[in-house]
Amino acid sequence: MASNRVQGGIQQLLTAEQEAQHIVNAAKSAKMARLKQAKEEAEREIAENRAQIEREFQRKVAESSGDSGANVKRLEHETEAKIHHLKTEAARISQDVVDMLLKQVTTVKN
């Protein structure tokens, strides 16, 4: 009788162990499926972000290369304005500089 009872207990333990193993395997499978789905979503988001960044970069390249002629003209205009300003200032103070130099050269020091 005790032998049947022990045999029945062992059978119950084996059955419980098999059920537990099925539960663990199902949980592992579900976890792997979630991880795989998360990885695929992350890869998709990365690809979308890369594409967006590339589009923005190409747009900026197109904008800057399209405006290069305008930039050159703007820089030429600014340079001409600065040269004109320097010439005007030089003409304005040139007599003062000449006078100062003559004074320094002609002053006799003992």
Side-chain angles (χ1 to χ4, degrees):
M1 178 94 154
S3 176
N4 283 341
R5 216 165 152 195
V6 170
Q7 195 70 16
I10 292 174
Q11 190 60 40
Q12 285 179 338
L13 287 174
L14 289 174
T15 303
E17 182 182 7
Q18 287 176 349
E19 288 177 17
Q21 189 63 40
H22 288 300
I23 293 169
V24 168
N25 287 339
K28 283 182 181 179
S29 295
K31 180 180 178 182
M32 292 304 294
R34 286 192 307 270
L35 288 174
K36 183 178 178 183
Q37 180 183 4
K39 180 182 176 187
E40 290 170 354
E41 288 175 7
E43 288 173 347
R44 188 171 43 253
E45 285 182 26
I46 289 169
E48 289 171 2
N49 286 338
R50 281 187 181 153
Q52 176 65 26
I53 290 170
E54 180 64 23
R55 284 191 300 272
E56 289 176 16
F57 174 74
Q58 292 301 331
R59 182 183 53 81
K60 287 181 181 182
V61 166
E63 286 176 0
S64 66
S65 65
D67 289 345
S68 64
N71 287 335
V72 169
K73 287 181 181 180
R74 180 184 54 82
L75 289 173
E76 286 175 351
H77 178 69
E78 289 175 4
T79 303
E80 290 297 324
K82 288 178 182 179
I83 290 171
H84 178 70
H85 175 71
L86 289 172
K87 285 181 179 179
T88 303
E89 287 297 306
R92 185 179 65 81
I93 65 168
S94 66
Q95 189 58 46
D96 292 339
V97 172
V98 170
D99 291 343
M100 182 184 68
L101 288 173
L102 283 173
K103 183 179 176 185
Q104 289 294 323
V105 171
T106 58
T107 302
V108 178
K109 292 191 179 186
N110 289 329

